[in-house]
Amino acid sequence: MSFNSLTFVCLFCFVMAVQYSRLPWNTKKATLLICSYLFYAAWNPPFVLLLWLSTGIDWYMARFIATTTRQSVRRICLAISLAVNLGLLGFFKYSGFALQSFCDALQLVGFSFQPLELDIVLPVGISFYTFQTLSYTLDIYRGTANPHKSFLDFALYVTFFPQLVAGPIVRSTDFLPQCEIPRARDTAKIGWGLNLVLIGLFEKTILADGLCAPVVEKAYGVEAIDLVGAWTGTLAFAGQIFFDFNGYSLTAIGISLCLGFTIPDNFRFPYAAIGFSDFWRRWHISLSSWLRDYLYIALGGNRGGTSRTFINLMLTMLLGGLWHGASWSFVIWGAMHGTFLGIERWLSSTSLYRWPIWQARSGRMLLGLLTFVLVCFTWVFFRATSLSQAISLTLTMLGLTHSDTSVFDSYTSLVIAALIGGLLLGHALCRRQSLEAIADRMGPILWGALCLLMILLLLVCRGDERAFIYFQF
């Protein structure tokens, strides 16, 4: 059930009616929980059992951790939580990849092994809700949170439908306190929430699906492509993945606001980033902060010297790449980000970092443009259908290989260049602002006209109904 479907609109209207009715607060939460399960079951009903299993295991393991003083028992409970959650994630998401990698390794040493084909369906959103429910157990184990009193609230935290299948990954300390007090109707919040839903659907339907997706599919659907085509397709994907994922996040945040809940931002104008550290403070913030708090810091962070810090960065980003998908292309994507982060950290300790030019506007613009170009090279490995295609496209974009295969006319390339140029300019102008502050500065008349234009375009240019890109993770 996608946000841009009529079925979801009916579900949302029903939940809104219940949420602001005179029913008891626990009844409202129970209804919201049931609707969240129905929302998830629309993809594959049996996979609701996995949600129940993760919810039950982490609820009871966290309580055992909090009520015992024996460190050995605490560690066993944490190990059970990790084993169940990561075991399910590993089986459904990585078993096929691991088996194929094992077969490939055997072939390298002269053995041939053809296993039975694994026909495993990936539960939608399993990577997101696994990290979300794990954070609850880890926080209680580390003593940074206390076990919640209500199982209903915890189940709703794990299953809250606006952000269930593609984030943002919400922390229990942010969400559970909101479940304790009935959500009063706030007209201003509901109004702004509907604005965010409109922007999110516009980014998804018009910009990601309408403008960028056809170009990306054409560029990445051929064996060889010329230099202009490779850059056109990759720039289009840089736009598509931002508009698609940011569109989902804004819609999820907007729906949550309409229901009275606040969940954190997931993007802060990431293509205005100056350096990769800044990029990851702006892109998929809920995942990057999760990896930082529960993996990078747990590995030692930057406390072990330059070499150890680089290893920790690399391990964190390798696992971050693998979290996105079970293929070597995603591993290389993570390795590239880890390498760029390591180089950036090393450069920050040299005299080059302190040159006055980097503090000037021209220097910062140059660094921002360099960051975006390098991010585009990483997107090639994220989007390519195979590792060989990713390498071929990268070499073409660098001008190291040449092909006469031209799949785009000059008009298409100019449209994509203009779109991405406008996106970069918009992010650069807004890098220190929030979307709400921008709306306030525009004023009600200009902002209202912009919203009306988006509504008209959505009505006129419906296009194909495509799933959000991050549903596959």
Side-chain angles (χ1 to χ4, degrees):
M1 188 187 303
S2 185
F3 287 159
N4 50 354
S5 67
L6 180 59
T7 308
F8 178 80
V9 173
C10 295
L11 176 70
F12 175 63
C13 291
F14 172 75
V15 172
M16 281 283 289
V18 171
Q19 191 71 358
Y20 296 114
S21 67
R22 295 187 177 183
L23 292 171
W25 179 227
N26 279 343
T27 303
K28 294 179 182 179
K29 289 189 291 186
T31 303
L32 185 53
L33 176 62
I34 293 170
C35 289
S36 295
Y37 285 130
L38 291 174
F39 172 80
Y40 191 75
W43 276 282
N44 200 322
F47 286 145
V48 174
L49 297 173
L50 300 181
L51 274 174
W52 291 347
L53 179 60
S54 292
T55 302
I57 288 292
D58 284 302
W59 169 259
Y60 286 107
M61 291 304 103
R63 292 186 72 83
F64 291 150
I65 289 171
T67 55
T68 184
T69 57
R70 297 179 59 183
Q71 189 62 21
S72 59
V73 176
R74 287 166 52 85
R75 288 174 178 169
I76 290 172
C77 291
L78 178 63
I80 292 173
S81 174
L82 291 171
V84 171
N85 285 285
L86 297 180
L88 289 173
L89 180 62
F91 173 76
F92 282 100
K93 192 166 184 175
Y94 302 107
S95 54
F97 172 64
L99 182 59
Q100 185 59 52
S101 298
F102 175 71
C103 294
D104 293 341
L106 287 179
Q107 287 185 349
L108 290 176
V109 294
F111 292 95
S112 178
F113 173 60
Q114 188 63 39
L116 293 175
E117 185 175 347
L118 297 177
D119 188 17
I120 298 175
V121 178
L122 180 66
V124 64
I126 188 172
S127 298
F128 288 92
Y129 71 72
T130 296
F131 272 26
Q132 182 157 312
T133 186
L134 265 181
S135 68
Y136 175 76
T137 311
L138 290 167
D139 284 345
I140 290 175
Y141 181 81
R142 300 190 308 179
T144 57
N146 295 317
H148 198 67
K149 298 178 181 179
S150 170
F151 180 77
L152 173 62
D153 291 356
F154 178 72
L156 182 59
Y157 157 69
V158 176
T159 321
F160 188 53
F161 74 88
Q163 46 77 227
L164 172 61
V165 295
I169 302 170
V170 181
R171 306 289 179 92
S172 61
T173 49
D174 293 327
F175 187 87
L176 288 175
Q178 300 182 66
C179 295
E180 297 176 352
I181 304 172
R183 301 287 95 192
R185 181 165 52 194
D186 187 326
T187 306
K189 275 189 175 182
I190 294 174
W192 180 241
L194 292 175
N195 274 263
L196 292 179
V197 171
L198 173 61
I199 297 169
L201 292 179
F202 176 79
E203 287 190 350
K204 165 63 177 173
T205 305
I206 304 300
L207 300 179
D209 293 351
L211 290 177
C212 296
V215 177
V216 174
E217 290 170 359
K218 198 170 183 180
Y220 283 81
V222 296
E223 292 295 326
I225 194 171
D226 65 334
L227 175 66
V228 174
W231 272 105
T232 299
T234 301
L235 288 175
F237 181 68
Q240 181 193 12
I241 194 168
F242 169 75
F243 291 129
D244 189 283
F245 196 16
N246 186 58
Y248 180 93
S249 297
L250 288 178
T251 306
I253 294 169
I255 293 170
S256 301
L257 279 176
C258 290
L259 298 175
F261 292 89
T262 301
I263 59 178
D265 291 337
N266 212 21
F267 292 88
R268 295 191 188 121
F269 305 107
Y271 289 149
I274 300 174
F276 276 76
S277 296
D278 191 25
F279 178 78
W280 281 104
R281 284 191 290 266
R282 297 172 176 275
W283 179 274
H284 204 343
I285 301 168
S286 61
L287 174 64
S288 61
S289 61
W290 198 102
L291 292 173
R292 178 198 64 205
D293 294 343
Y294 299 109
L295 185 57
Y296 178 68
I297 293 176
L299 290 170
N302 56 4
R303 299 189 299 272
T306 303
S307 298
R308 184 61 193 177
T309 298
F310 180 80
I311 292 173
N312 293 340
L313 280 172
M314 184 60 72
L315 286 174
T316 300
M317 295 313 300
L318 283 173
L319 290 173
L322 198 57
W323 177 89
H324 282 86
S327 78
W328 290 111
S329 295
F330 286 114
V331 174
I332 292 175
W333 175 83
M336 292 173 73
H337 276 274
T339 301
F340 292 142
L341 284 167
I343 292 173
E344 179 184 317
R345 183 172 288 272
W346 172 74
L347 286 173
S348 67
S349 64
T350 66
S351 59
L352 178 65
Y353 181 78
R354 293 184 287 274
W355 285 7
I357 188 176
W358 305 130
Q359 303 305 318
R361 177 177 295 181
S362 57
R364 294 177 69 81
M365 288 177 60
L366 180 61
L367 290 176
L369 184 59
L370 176 62
T371 302
F372 175 72
V373 170
L374 293 177
V375 166
C376 284
F377 278 106
T378 69
W379 283 142
V380 173
F381 288 84
F382 196 97
R383 175 57 180 84
T385 56
S386 65
L387 185 57
S388 59
Q389 184 191 49
I391 294 172
S392 175
L393 275 169
T394 300
L395 294 175
T396 300
M397 291 168 64
L398 290 170
L400 299 178
T401 59
H402 176 71
S403 173
D404 294 326
T405 305
S406 178
V407 297
F408 300 117
D409 54 30
S410 56
Y411 174 77
T412 301
S413 297
L414 287 174
V415 168
I416 293 300
L419 176 65
I420 301 306
L423 178 62
L424 291 177
L425 179 61
H427 280 206
L429 294 174
C430 302
R431 61 173 276 121
R432 289 188 174 88
Q433 302 181 64
S434 67
L435 194 56
E436 194 167 6
I438 294 169
D440 289 339
R441 290 185 61 184
M442 291 179 66
I445 296 177
L446 186 56
W447 181 258
L450 181 61
C451 289
L452 181 59
L453 176 61
M454 287 190 287
I455 292 172
L456 291 174
L457 287 172
L458 283 169
L459 292 174
V460 174
C461 310
R462 293 182 60 87
D464 298 331
E465 186 176 308
R466 302 168 184 259
F468 288 91
I469 292 176
Y470 265 68
F471 280 10
Q472 63 186 296
F473 306 133

